[in-house]
Amino acid sequence: MKSLNEQVIRKIKLRYLHFIDVICDTQSLVAAASRLNVTPAALSKSCIEIEKILGVQLFVRSHQGMQPTEICLIIVESSRAIKYELDKLVTAVNEHKETEFGTLLIGVQAMGLEKRIMQGVSVIKRNDPSRTIRLVQRERSALIDMLNRRELDMIFVDSFQMDRQRNVSFFPMLQAGSVVISAQGVRPVRDIVEDWMVYRDNLWILPQKGFAIRDRFESVLYSRDLDSPRQIIEYNSSSGLRDLFTISGGFGIIPTYALSMAKGYVDVNIEYETMEEMRLESGLAWLGASPHKKYVQDAIAVFTSDELRASQ
């Protein structure tokens, strides 16, 4: 007859441990379900199942969310150690076979880094001709979730609130300020925010939520208890954007390195005062707390190399 410990171990599934980890991180059943791509009902059922298996309460449920208990935090710490050891096991097996199969999956949502990314991809392909490389473009928040779910090997995004991602390493590649632009010209963001009641009712042409420059702008307004713009056109591609600004007379926000593209249809100065809260910092992010497959390590080395940096 198997011992109680053996019975519990047989019933615990790895996905249960991952579910608990995500719920503990988000402290919200709805947010965790969204990240895991399951329904809140299914996630709640799984949570109840593992509580029954272990015989302990993992979360204190309330209208404020899912507060992890002390034993839950211990279980999460242990489950991360298990995932770490499993990653080591996979790495060891691949090294034993002297080759690693797989597609290098790269998420991209970082304006201004396009050339450097493509240069790096070209170098990686030359070094490893048989490797398939897939570039995935999504909103920033979606890329971060995909990275945490290990659906991507690395992502190029803005660093906004990346310090909240405890398991993610970030390598900065590009820094720039932001300015407000319209057919009337270019203005510092601070000037617009300080006189927001004048500009709030204008038409604003902004990237969809999830893009760093939009998230930063919304954060600036929220921190000052200012309303969001009342008229908005959202975009997720630069196609036709210049014509939209010119024809509609709308206001938008662009990084300072994109000002060269505005020359010819608005007056552009050499320098503008930039607002610290609206400074963009784009770079490469990966799950730094876990061991990587060798081809992922090699790709990270290429993108962060001094040679590639010099060519930017």
Side-chain angles (χ1 to χ4, degrees):
M1 182 176 179
K2 287 182 168 46
S3 69
L4 180 59
N5 282 350
E6 290 175 307
Q7 293 178 44
V8 170
I9 290 171
R10 286 187 61 188
K11 291 180 181 179
I12 292 179
K13 301 174 184 178
L14 287 176
R15 68 185 181 91
Y16 281 159
L17 299 179
H18 183 50
F19 286 177
I20 293 172
D21 193 350
V22 176
I23 297 173
C24 184
D25 186 48
T26 61
Q27 297 188 18
S28 164
L29 199 64
V30 174
S34 176
R35 181 182 295 183
L36 294 164
N37 198 27
V38 299
T39 65
L43 184 57
S44 178
K45 181 181 177 183
S46 296
C47 187
I48 292 171
E49 285 176 1
I50 194 168
E51 285 182 326
K52 287 182 178 179
I53 292 170
L54 297 173
V56 295
Q57 183 179 1
L58 298 176
F59 299 95
V60 177
R61 297 159 174 83
S62 70
H63 292 300
Q64 284 71 44
M66 304 277 284
Q67 185 67 33
T69 61
E70 184 177 351
I71 187 62
C72 178
L73 296 175
I74 294 173
I75 291 171
V76 167
E77 183 178 355
S78 297
S79 71
R80 289 174 180 171
I82 291 171
K83 287 189 288 186
Y84 177 83
E85 293 300 326
L86 285 174
D87 283 340
K88 283 176 60 179
L89 173 62
V90 171
T91 300
V93 170
N94 283 326
E95 288 177 351
H96 177 72
K97 293 188 297 185
E98 296 183 348
T99 186
E100 289 185 287
F101 300 99
T103 299
L104 178 61
L105 301 170
I106 304 173
V108 180
Q109 202 271 294
M111 292 176 59
L113 286 177
E114 293 88 349
K115 181 179 179 181
R116 186 165 171 181
I117 293 170
M118 299 314 162
Q119 287 174 331
V121 167
S122 300
V123 172
I124 294 167
K125 191 63 179 177
R126 285 198 300 270
N127 294 341
D128 191 359
S130 63
R131 180 76 53 202
T132 298
I133 303 173
R134 183 177 303 154
L135 301 176
V136 179
Q137 293 196 0
R138 295 284 191 280
E139 292 181 3
R140 179 177 174 276
S141 57
L143 291 179
I144 293 173
D145 285 343
M146 292 173 73
L147 180 67
N148 281 309
R149 294 197 301 264
R150 301 176 187 274
E151 295 172 9
L152 294 172
D153 295 310
M154 62 190 68
I155 58 176
F156 289 91
V157 292
D158 185 85
S159 65
F160 183 56
Q161 296 182 343
M162 286 298 289
D163 56 336
R164 299 182 181 180
Q165 304 294 321
R166 293 174 297 181
N167 297 324
V168 175
S169 293
F170 185 81
F171 180 81
M173 293 180 168
L174 177 66
Q175 292 185 337
S178 303
V179 292
V180 173
I181 188 169
S182 70
Q184 301 172 22
V186 180
R187 297 281 302 279
V189 177
R190 187 183 304 280
D191 290 356
I192 301 298
V193 171
E194 289 178 351
D195 206 9
W196 182 239
M197 296 303 293
V198 173
Y199 295 96
R200 181 190 60 182
D201 295 330
N202 288 85
L203 171 63
W204 283 82
I205 303 169
L206 299 169
Q208 293 178 352
K209 291 185 178 181
F211 284 74
I213 201 166
R214 173 72 178 275
D215 290 345
R216 286 180 181 270
F217 187 50
E218 294 281 357
S219 179
V220 166
L221 295 179
Y222 179 79
S223 67
R224 289 162 173 76
D225 199 25
L226 299 175
D227 295 334
S228 297
R230 297 184 177 181
Q231 298 185 63
I232 297 177
I233 296 177
E234 295 182 331
Y235 63 87
N236 65 357
S237 168
S238 59
S239 177
L241 198 56
R242 180 169 175 169
D243 290 334
L244 179 59
F245 271 105
T246 303
I247 296 170
S248 70
F251 288 74
I253 304 173
I254 63 171
T256 50
Y257 57 73
L259 279 172
S260 59
M261 295 183 288
K263 291 180 178 179
Y265 75 103
V266 295
D267 292 331
V268 176
N269 296 330
I270 299 176
E271 293 184 357
Y272 290 93
E273 178 194 358
T274 56
M275 193 176 190
E276 186 62 31
E277 296 163 275
M278 287 297 299
R279 287 193 64 80
L280 303 174
E281 182 182 57
S282 300
L284 176 64
W286 67 91
L287 289 179
S290 304
H292 288 287
K293 298 179 281 287
K294 186 176 184 303
Y295 67 84
V296 178
Q297 293 176 336
D298 292 343
I300 292 172
V302 168
F303 285 120
T304 57
S305 68
D306 291 335
E307 180 181 355
L308 202 64
R309 212 176 311 175
S311 65
Q312 177 65 23

